[in-house]
Short mmCIF file of all heavy atoms in Angstrom, two decimals:
data_model
loop_
_atom_site.label_atom_id
_atom_site.label_comp_id
_atom_site.label_asym_id
_atom_site.label_seq_id
_atom_site.Cartn_x
_atom_site.Cartn_y
_atom_site.Cartn_z
N GLU J 52 4.56 -6.30 -0.68
CA GLU J 52 5.36 -5.59 0.32
C GLU J 52 6.52 -4.86 -0.34
O GLU J 52 6.82 -3.71 -0.01
CB GLU J 52 5.89 -6.58 1.36
CG GLU J 52 4.79 -7.13 2.25
CD GLU J 52 5.28 -8.25 3.14
OE1 GLU J 52 6.43 -8.16 3.62
OE2 GLU J 52 4.52 -9.21 3.36
N ASP J 53 7.17 -5.52 -1.28
CA ASP J 53 8.30 -4.88 -1.96
C ASP J 53 7.87 -3.62 -2.69
O ASP J 53 8.54 -2.59 -2.60
CB ASP J 53 8.94 -5.87 -2.97
CG ASP J 53 9.97 -6.76 -2.30
OD1 ASP J 53 10.26 -6.52 -1.10
OD2 ASP J 53 10.47 -7.68 -2.95
N ALA J 54 6.76 -3.70 -3.40
CA ALA J 54 6.29 -2.52 -4.13
C ALA J 54 5.97 -1.39 -3.17
O ALA J 54 6.13 -0.21 -3.50
CB ALA J 54 5.08 -2.87 -4.98
N SER J 55 5.53 -1.75 -1.95
CA SER J 55 5.17 -0.70 -0.98
C SER J 55 6.40 0.06 -0.50
O SER J 55 6.30 1.15 0.05
CB SER J 55 4.39 -1.30 0.21
OG SER J 55 5.24 -1.90 1.17
N ARG J 56 7.58 -0.54 -0.70
CA ARG J 56 8.82 0.15 -0.30
C ARG J 56 9.30 1.12 -1.38
O ARG J 56 10.24 1.89 -1.13
CB ARG J 56 9.93 -0.88 -0.05
CG ARG J 56 9.67 -1.80 1.13
CD ARG J 56 10.87 -2.72 1.37
NE ARG J 56 10.56 -3.87 2.19
CZ ARG J 56 10.75 -3.94 3.50
NH1 ARG J 56 11.21 -2.91 4.15
NH2 ARG J 56 10.44 -5.05 4.17
N GLY J 57 8.68 1.08 -2.55
CA GLY J 57 9.16 1.95 -3.62
C GLY J 57 8.00 2.61 -4.36
O GLY J 57 7.83 2.42 -5.55
N LEU J 58 7.21 3.39 -3.64
CA LEU J 58 6.06 4.03 -4.25
C LEU J 58 6.49 5.05 -5.31
O LEU J 58 7.44 5.80 -5.09
CB LEU J 58 5.25 4.80 -3.19
CG LEU J 58 4.53 4.00 -2.12
CD1 LEU J 58 3.77 4.95 -1.21
CD2 LEU J 58 3.57 2.98 -2.74
N PRO J 59 5.78 5.10 -6.45
CA PRO J 59 6.01 6.18 -7.41
C PRO J 59 5.72 7.53 -6.74
O PRO J 59 4.92 7.61 -5.80
CB PRO J 59 4.98 5.91 -8.51
CG PRO J 59 4.55 4.50 -8.33
CD PRO J 59 4.71 4.18 -6.87
N ALA J 60 6.36 8.59 -7.25
CA ALA J 60 6.27 9.91 -6.61
C ALA J 60 4.82 10.39 -6.46
O ALA J 60 4.45 10.98 -5.44
CB ALA J 60 7.09 10.92 -7.40
N GLY J 61 4.01 10.14 -7.47
CA GLY J 61 2.62 10.60 -7.41
C GLY J 61 1.85 9.93 -6.27
O GLY J 61 1.10 10.59 -5.55
N ASP J 62 2.06 8.63 -6.12
CA ASP J 62 1.40 7.92 -5.04
C ASP J 62 1.92 8.38 -3.68
O ASP J 62 1.16 8.53 -2.72
CB ASP J 62 1.63 6.40 -5.17
CG ASP J 62 0.91 5.82 -6.38
OD1 ASP J 62 0.09 6.54 -6.98
OD2 ASP J 62 1.17 4.66 -6.73
N LEU J 63 3.23 8.60 -3.63
CA LEU J 63 3.83 9.02 -2.36
C LEU J 63 3.26 10.36 -1.90
O LEU J 63 3.03 10.59 -0.70
CB LEU J 63 5.36 9.09 -2.48
CG LEU J 63 6.10 9.42 -1.19
CD1 LEU J 63 5.77 8.44 -0.07
CD2 LEU J 63 7.62 9.44 -1.44
N ALA J 64 3.01 11.26 -2.86
CA ALA J 64 2.45 12.57 -2.50
C ALA J 64 1.07 12.40 -1.88
O ALA J 64 0.72 13.10 -0.91
CB ALA J 64 2.38 13.45 -3.74
N LYS J 65 0.27 11.47 -2.43
CA LYS J 65 -1.05 11.23 -1.85
C LYS J 65 -0.95 10.57 -0.47
O LYS J 65 -1.66 10.91 0.46
CB LYS J 65 -1.89 10.33 -2.78
CG LYS J 65 -2.35 11.05 -4.05
CD LYS J 65 -3.15 10.10 -4.93
CE LYS J 65 -3.19 10.60 -6.37
NZ LYS J 65 -3.52 9.51 -7.33
N VAL J 66 -0.03 9.62 -0.36
CA VAL J 66 0.17 8.94 0.92
C VAL J 66 0.65 9.93 1.98
O VAL J 66 0.21 9.86 3.13
CB VAL J 66 1.18 7.78 0.73
CG1 VAL J 66 1.74 7.31 2.07
CG2 VAL J 66 0.51 6.61 -0.01
N ARG J 67 1.52 10.84 1.59
CA ARG J 67 2.00 11.88 2.52
C ARG J 67 0.82 12.68 3.08
O ARG J 67 0.78 13.00 4.27
CB ARG J 67 2.97 12.81 1.78
CG ARG J 67 3.57 13.92 2.62
CD ARG J 67 4.54 14.74 1.74
NE ARG J 67 5.24 15.77 2.50
CZ ARG J 67 4.80 17.02 2.65
NH1 ARG J 67 3.66 17.39 2.12
NH2 ARG J 67 5.51 17.90 3.37
N GLU J 68 -0.15 12.98 2.23
CA GLU J 68 -1.31 13.74 2.68
C GLU J 68 -2.17 12.91 3.64
O GLU J 68 -2.71 13.43 4.62
CB GLU J 68 -2.12 14.18 1.45
CG GLU J 68 -2.99 15.38 1.71
CD GLU J 68 -3.63 15.94 0.43
OE1 GLU J 68 -2.92 16.11 -0.59
OE2 GLU J 68 -4.84 16.21 0.46
N GLU J 69 -2.29 11.62 3.37
CA GLU J 69 -3.06 10.76 4.28
C GLU J 69 -2.36 10.62 5.64
O GLU J 69 -3.02 10.59 6.69
CB GLU J 69 -3.26 9.36 3.68
CG GLU J 69 -3.86 9.30 2.29
CD GLU J 69 -5.35 9.60 2.23
OE1 GLU J 69 -5.93 9.99 3.27
OE2 GLU J 69 -5.94 9.47 1.14
N LEU J 70 -1.03 10.53 5.60
CA LEU J 70 -0.28 10.48 6.87
C LEU J 70 -0.57 11.73 7.69
O LEU J 70 -0.77 11.66 8.92
CB LEU J 70 1.22 10.39 6.59
CG LEU J 70 1.75 9.07 6.02
CD1 LEU J 70 3.15 9.26 5.44
CD2 LEU J 70 1.78 7.98 7.09
N ALA J 71 -0.61 12.87 7.01
CA ALA J 71 -0.90 14.13 7.70
C ALA J 71 -2.31 14.09 8.30
O ALA J 71 -2.52 14.50 9.46
CB ALA J 71 -0.76 15.31 6.74
N ASP J 72 -3.27 13.60 7.54
CA ASP J 72 -4.65 13.54 8.05
C ASP J 72 -4.73 12.71 9.33
O ASP J 72 -5.43 13.07 10.27
CB ASP J 72 -5.58 12.93 6.99
CG ASP J 72 -5.96 13.91 5.90
OD1 ASP J 72 -5.99 15.12 6.17
OD2 ASP J 72 -6.22 13.47 4.76
N VAL J 73 -4.03 11.58 9.33
CA VAL J 73 -4.04 10.74 10.53
C VAL J 73 -3.46 11.52 11.71
O VAL J 73 -4.04 11.54 12.81
CB VAL J 73 -3.25 9.43 10.31
CG1 VAL J 73 -3.12 8.66 11.62
CG2 VAL J 73 -3.93 8.57 9.24
N LEU J 74 -2.33 12.19 11.48
CA LEU J 74 -1.71 12.93 12.58
C LEU J 74 -2.62 14.06 13.07
O LEU J 74 -2.75 14.27 14.29
CB LEU J 74 -0.35 13.51 12.13
CG LEU J 74 0.41 14.25 13.24
CD1 LEU J 74 0.68 13.33 14.42
CD2 LEU J 74 1.73 14.82 12.70
N LEU J 75 -3.27 14.76 12.16
CA LEU J 75 -4.12 15.88 12.59
C LEU J 75 -5.26 15.40 13.50
O LEU J 75 -5.53 15.99 14.55
CB LEU J 75 -4.68 16.63 11.37
CG LEU J 75 -3.66 17.27 10.43
CD1 LEU J 75 -4.36 18.14 9.38
CD2 LEU J 75 -2.65 18.11 11.20
N TYR J 76 -5.93 14.31 13.10
CA TYR J 76 -7.01 13.81 13.96
C TYR J 76 -6.46 13.23 15.27
O TYR J 76 -7.10 13.33 16.32
CB TYR J 76 -7.86 12.78 13.23
CG TYR J 76 -8.90 13.41 12.33
CD1 TYR J 76 -8.91 13.17 10.97
CD2 TYR J 76 -9.88 14.25 12.85
CE1 TYR J 76 -9.86 13.76 10.14
CE2 TYR J 76 -10.83 14.85 12.03
CZ TYR J 76 -10.82 14.60 10.68
OH TYR J 76 -11.76 15.19 9.88
N LEU J 77 -5.30 12.63 15.20
CA LEU J 77 -4.71 12.06 16.42
C LEU J 77 -4.40 13.17 17.42
O LEU J 77 -4.70 13.05 18.63
CB LEU J 77 -3.43 11.30 16.05
CG LEU J 77 -2.69 10.62 17.19
CD1 LEU J 77 -3.53 9.52 17.82
CD2 LEU J 77 -1.35 10.05 16.70
N VAL J 78 -3.82 14.25 16.93
CA VAL J 78 -3.46 15.38 17.80
C VAL J 78 -4.73 16.04 18.36
O VAL J 78 -4.81 16.36 19.55
CB VAL J 78 -2.60 16.39 17.01
CG1 VAL J 78 -2.48 17.71 17.76
CG2 VAL J 78 -1.22 15.80 16.72
N ARG J 79 -5.74 16.20 17.50
CA ARG J 79 -7.01 16.79 17.92
C ARG J 79 -7.68 15.93 19.00
O ARG J 79 -8.17 16.43 20.02
CB ARG J 79 -7.92 16.92 16.68
CG ARG J 79 -9.18 17.80 16.82
CD ARG J 79 -8.85 19.26 16.66
NE ARG J 79 -8.63 19.83 17.97
CZ ARG J 79 -9.62 20.16 18.81
NH1 ARG J 79 -10.87 20.03 18.47
NH2 ARG J 79 -9.34 20.65 20.00
N LEU J 80 -7.69 14.63 18.78
CA LEU J 80 -8.32 13.72 19.73
C LEU J 80 -7.59 13.73 21.09
O LEU J 80 -8.22 13.82 22.14
CB LEU J 80 -8.34 12.30 19.15
CG LEU J 80 -8.84 11.16 20.04
CD1 LEU J 80 -10.22 11.46 20.62
CD2 LEU J 80 -8.86 9.84 19.27
N ALA J 81 -6.27 13.64 21.03
CA ALA J 81 -5.50 13.67 22.28
C ALA J 81 -5.77 14.97 23.04
O ALA J 81 -5.92 14.97 24.26
CB ALA J 81 -4.00 13.53 21.97
N ASP J 82 -5.86 16.07 22.31
CA ASP J 82 -6.11 17.36 22.96
C ASP J 82 -7.48 17.36 23.63
O ASP J 82 -7.61 17.79 24.79
CB ASP J 82 -6.01 18.48 21.91
CG ASP J 82 -6.02 19.87 22.55
OD1 ASP J 82 -5.58 19.99 23.71
OD2 ASP J 82 -6.46 20.83 21.89
N GLU J 83 -8.50 16.88 22.95
CA GLU J 83 -9.84 16.84 23.53
C GLU J 83 -9.87 15.95 24.78
O GLU J 83 -10.68 16.16 25.69
CB GLU J 83 -10.87 16.34 22.51
CG GLU J 83 -11.25 17.36 21.45
CD GLU J 83 -12.09 18.52 22.00
OE1 GLU J 83 -12.81 18.32 23.00
OE2 GLU J 83 -12.03 19.63 21.43
N LEU J 84 -9.00 14.92 24.81
CA LEU J 84 -8.97 14.01 25.95
C LEU J 84 -8.01 14.48 27.04
O LEU J 84 -7.91 13.86 28.12
CB LEU J 84 -8.58 12.60 25.50
CG LEU J 84 -9.61 11.87 24.65
CD1 LEU J 84 -8.99 10.62 24.02
CD2 LEU J 84 -10.84 11.49 25.49
N GLY J 85 -7.28 15.57 26.76
CA GLY J 85 -6.32 16.06 27.75
C GLY J 85 -5.08 15.18 27.89
O GLY J 85 -4.43 15.16 28.94
N VAL J 86 -4.75 14.46 26.81
CA VAL J 86 -3.58 13.57 26.85
C VAL J 86 -2.39 14.24 26.18
O VAL J 86 -2.52 14.81 25.09
CB VAL J 86 -3.90 12.24 26.10
CG1 VAL J 86 -2.63 11.44 25.82
CG2 VAL J 86 -4.88 11.40 26.91
N ASP J 87 -1.24 14.17 26.84
CA ASP J 87 0.02 14.66 26.26
C ASP J 87 0.59 13.53 25.39
O ASP J 87 1.14 12.56 25.89
CB ASP J 87 0.99 15.01 27.40
CG ASP J 87 2.34 15.51 26.89
OD1 ASP J 87 2.76 15.12 25.78
OD2 ASP J 87 3.00 16.25 27.63
N LEU J 88 0.43 13.71 24.07
CA LEU J 88 0.81 12.64 23.14
C LEU J 88 2.28 12.24 23.24
O LEU J 88 2.61 11.05 23.22
CB LEU J 88 0.57 13.10 21.70
CG LEU J 88 -0.65 12.58 20.95
CD1 LEU J 88 -0.53 13.01 19.49
CD2 LEU J 88 -0.76 11.07 21.04
N ALA J 89 3.16 13.24 23.31
CA ALA J 89 4.60 12.94 23.32
C ALA J 89 4.96 12.14 24.57
O ALA J 89 5.72 11.16 24.50
CB ALA J 89 5.42 14.23 23.26
N ALA J 90 4.39 12.52 25.70
CA ALA J 90 4.67 11.78 26.94
C ALA J 90 4.10 10.37 26.87
O ALA J 90 4.73 9.40 27.30
CB ALA J 90 4.08 12.54 28.14
N ALA J 91 2.89 10.25 26.31
CA ALA J 91 2.27 8.92 26.18
C ALA J 91 3.13 8.02 25.29
O ALA J 91 3.31 6.83 25.59
CB ALA J 91 0.86 9.07 25.59
N ALA J 92 3.67 8.59 24.21
CA ALA J 92 4.50 7.80 23.30
C ALA J 92 5.79 7.36 23.98
O ALA J 92 6.23 6.22 23.82
CB ALA J 92 4.79 8.60 22.03
N ARG J 93 6.40 8.28 24.74
CA ARG J 93 7.62 7.90 25.45
C ARG J 93 7.36 6.79 26.45
O ARG J 93 8.13 5.83 26.55
CB ARG J 93 8.23 9.13 26.15
CG ARG J 93 9.10 9.96 25.20
CD ARG J 93 9.87 11.04 25.95
NE ARG J 93 8.99 12.06 26.48
CZ ARG J 93 8.76 13.25 25.92
NH1 ARG J 93 9.38 13.58 24.80
NH2 ARG J 93 7.94 14.11 26.47
N ASP J 94 6.25 6.90 27.18
CA ASP J 94 5.90 5.83 28.14
C ASP J 94 5.71 4.50 27.43
O ASP J 94 6.10 3.45 27.93
CB ASP J 94 4.61 6.19 28.89
CG ASP J 94 4.82 7.33 29.87
OD1 ASP J 94 5.99 7.72 30.11
OD2 ASP J 94 3.81 7.84 30.41
N LYS J 95 5.08 4.57 26.25
CA LYS J 95 4.79 3.31 25.55
C LYS J 95 6.06 2.66 25.00
O LYS J 95 6.19 1.44 25.00
CB LYS J 95 3.80 3.56 24.41
CG LYS J 95 3.20 2.29 23.81
CD LYS J 95 2.39 1.50 24.86
CE LYS J 95 2.20 0.04 24.53
NZ LYS J 95 1.17 -0.26 23.58
N ILE J 96 7.01 3.49 24.55
CA ILE J 96 8.28 2.92 24.09
C ILE J 96 8.98 2.20 25.23
O ILE J 96 9.53 1.11 25.05
CB ILE J 96 9.20 4.02 23.49
CG1 ILE J 96 8.62 4.50 22.15
CG2 ILE J 96 10.60 3.48 23.27
CD1 ILE J 96 9.47 5.58 21.48
N GLU J 97 8.94 2.80 26.40
CA GLU J 97 9.60 2.14 27.54
C GLU J 97 8.91 0.82 27.90
O GLU J 97 9.56 -0.17 28.22
CB GLU J 97 9.64 3.09 28.75
CG GLU J 97 10.75 4.11 28.56
CD GLU J 97 10.70 5.23 29.59
OE1 GLU J 97 10.20 4.99 30.72
OE2 GLU J 97 11.15 6.34 29.26
N LEU J 98 7.58 0.83 27.84
CA LEU J 98 6.84 -0.40 28.09
C LEU J 98 7.19 -1.46 27.04
O LEU J 98 7.44 -2.62 27.37
CB LEU J 98 5.33 -0.09 28.05
CG LEU J 98 4.39 -1.27 28.30
CD1 LEU J 98 4.59 -1.85 29.69
CD2 LEU J 98 2.93 -0.83 28.12
N ASN J 99 7.24 -1.04 25.78
CA ASN J 99 7.58 -1.98 24.71
C ASN J 99 8.99 -2.54 24.86
O ASN J 99 9.25 -3.70 24.54
CB ASN J 99 7.44 -1.30 23.34
CG ASN J 99 6.00 -1.16 22.91
OD1 ASN J 99 5.11 -1.80 23.49
ND2 ASN J 99 5.74 -0.32 21.93
N ALA J 100 9.90 -1.70 25.36
CA ALA J 100 11.28 -2.18 25.55
C ALA J 100 11.32 -3.30 26.58
O ALA J 100 12.11 -4.24 26.46
CB ALA J 100 12.18 -1.02 25.98
N ARG J 101 10.42 -3.22 27.57
CA ARG J 101 10.36 -4.30 28.56
C ARG J 101 9.64 -5.53 28.00
O ARG J 101 10.01 -6.66 28.29
CB ARG J 101 9.63 -3.82 29.83
CG ARG J 101 10.46 -2.84 30.67
CD ARG J 101 9.88 -2.65 32.07
NE ARG J 101 8.56 -2.06 32.05
CZ ARG J 101 8.32 -0.74 31.98
NH1 ARG J 101 9.33 0.13 31.92
NH2 ARG J 101 7.09 -0.28 31.97
N LYS J 102 8.60 -5.29 27.19
CA LYS J 102 7.82 -6.41 26.63
C LYS J 102 8.57 -7.14 25.52
O LYS J 102 8.34 -8.33 25.29
CB LYS J 102 6.48 -5.89 26.06
CG LYS J 102 5.44 -5.55 27.11
CD LYS J 102 4.25 -4.82 26.51
CE LYS J 102 3.42 -5.67 25.58
NZ LYS J 102 2.25 -4.90 25.02
N TYR J 103 9.42 -6.40 24.83
CA TYR J 103 10.14 -7.00 23.70
C TYR J 103 11.65 -6.85 23.90
O TYR J 103 12.32 -6.08 23.19
CB TYR J 103 9.72 -6.33 22.38
CG TYR J 103 8.26 -6.53 22.05
CD1 TYR J 103 7.30 -5.59 22.42
CD2 TYR J 103 7.84 -7.67 21.37
CE1 TYR J 103 5.95 -5.79 22.12
CE2 TYR J 103 6.50 -7.87 21.07
CZ TYR J 103 5.57 -6.92 21.44
OH TYR J 103 4.25 -7.12 21.16
N PRO J 104 12.22 -7.57 24.87
CA PRO J 104 13.67 -7.48 25.09
C PRO J 104 14.41 -7.95 23.83
O PRO J 104 13.96 -8.87 23.14
CB PRO J 104 13.93 -8.41 26.27
CG PRO J 104 12.73 -9.30 26.35
CD PRO J 104 11.59 -8.55 25.76
N VAL J 105 15.53 -7.27 23.55
CA VAL J 105 16.26 -7.53 22.30
C VAL J 105 16.56 -9.01 22.10
O VAL J 105 16.36 -9.56 21.01
CB VAL J 105 17.56 -6.70 22.27
CG1 VAL J 105 18.45 -7.14 21.12
CG2 VAL J 105 17.24 -5.21 22.15
N ASP J 106 16.99 -9.67 23.15
CA ASP J 106 17.43 -11.06 22.96
C ASP J 106 16.28 -12.00 22.61
O ASP J 106 16.47 -13.00 21.94
CB ASP J 106 18.18 -11.57 24.19
CG ASP J 106 17.31 -11.51 25.44
OD1 ASP J 106 16.50 -10.56 25.56
OD2 ASP J 106 17.41 -12.40 26.30
N LYS J 107 15.08 -11.68 23.07
CA LYS J 107 13.94 -12.54 22.75
C LYS J 107 13.20 -12.12 21.49
O LYS J 107 12.59 -12.95 20.81
CB LYS J 107 12.94 -12.55 23.92
CG LYS J 107 13.44 -13.31 25.14
CD LYS J 107 12.31 -13.56 26.12
CE LYS J 107 12.83 -14.31 27.36
NZ LYS J 107 11.82 -14.34 28.42
N ALA J 108 13.20 -10.84 21.21
CA ALA J 108 12.35 -10.33 20.12
C ALA J 108 13.10 -10.24 18.79
O ALA J 108 12.50 -9.98 17.75
CB ALA J 108 11.82 -8.95 20.49
N ARG J 109 14.42 -10.48 18.83
CA ARG J 109 15.19 -10.29 17.60
C ARG J 109 14.69 -11.22 16.48
O ARG J 109 14.61 -12.44 16.64
CB ARG J 109 16.67 -10.56 17.85
CG ARG J 109 17.53 -10.40 16.58
CD ARG J 109 18.98 -10.74 16.83
NE ARG J 109 19.63 -9.76 17.67
CZ ARG J 109 20.14 -8.61 17.22
NH1 ARG J 109 20.06 -8.32 15.93
NH2 ARG J 109 20.71 -7.76 18.04
N GLY J 110 14.34 -10.62 15.36
CA GLY J 110 14.03 -11.38 14.15
C GLY J 110 12.71 -12.11 14.15
O GLY J 110 12.44 -12.92 13.28
N THR J 111 11.83 -11.80 15.12
CA THR J 111 10.52 -12.45 15.13
C THR J 111 9.41 -11.41 15.22
O THR J 111 9.60 -10.35 15.83
CB THR J 111 10.37 -13.45 16.29
OG1 THR J 111 9.00 -13.90 16.32
CG2 THR J 111 10.68 -12.82 17.62
N SER J 112 8.27 -11.70 14.61
CA SER J 112 7.13 -10.78 14.69
C SER J 112 6.10 -11.30 15.68
O SER J 112 4.97 -10.84 15.69
CB SER J 112 6.50 -10.63 13.30
OG SER J 112 6.00 -11.88 12.85
N ARG J 113 6.49 -12.25 16.52
CA ARG J 113 5.53 -12.78 17.49
C ARG J 113 5.12 -11.73 18.52
O ARG J 113 5.89 -10.84 18.86
CB ARG J 113 6.14 -13.99 18.23
CG ARG J 113 5.98 -15.29 17.44
CD ARG J 113 6.15 -16.49 18.34
NE ARG J 113 7.52 -16.61 18.83
CZ ARG J 113 8.47 -17.31 18.21
NH1 ARG J 113 8.21 -17.95 17.09
NH2 ARG J 113 9.68 -17.38 18.70
#
Side-chain angles (χ1 to χ4, degrees):
Chain J
E52 291 172 38
D53 274 354
S55 81
R56 295 184 197 265
L58 293 182
D62 291 350
L63 184 56
K65 289 179 200 159
V66 163
R67 181 179 184 269
E68 203 171 314
E69 306 286 7
L70 289 164
D72 282 331
V73 173
L74 183 58
L75 299 188
Y76 278 120
L77 181 65
V78 167
R79 193 81 266 283
L80 175 53
D82 190 28
E83 285 289 333
L84 291 168
V86 166
D87 179 333
L88 256 189
R93 276 189 292 261
D94 289 351
K95 193 62 201 280
I96 289 181
E97 282 170 28
L98 180 62
N99 284 345
R101 287 194 297 275
K102 284 170 68 180
Y103 297 93
V105 170
D106 59 325
K107 288 193 180 169
R109 179 183 290 277
T111 172
S112 62
R113 277 199 292 269

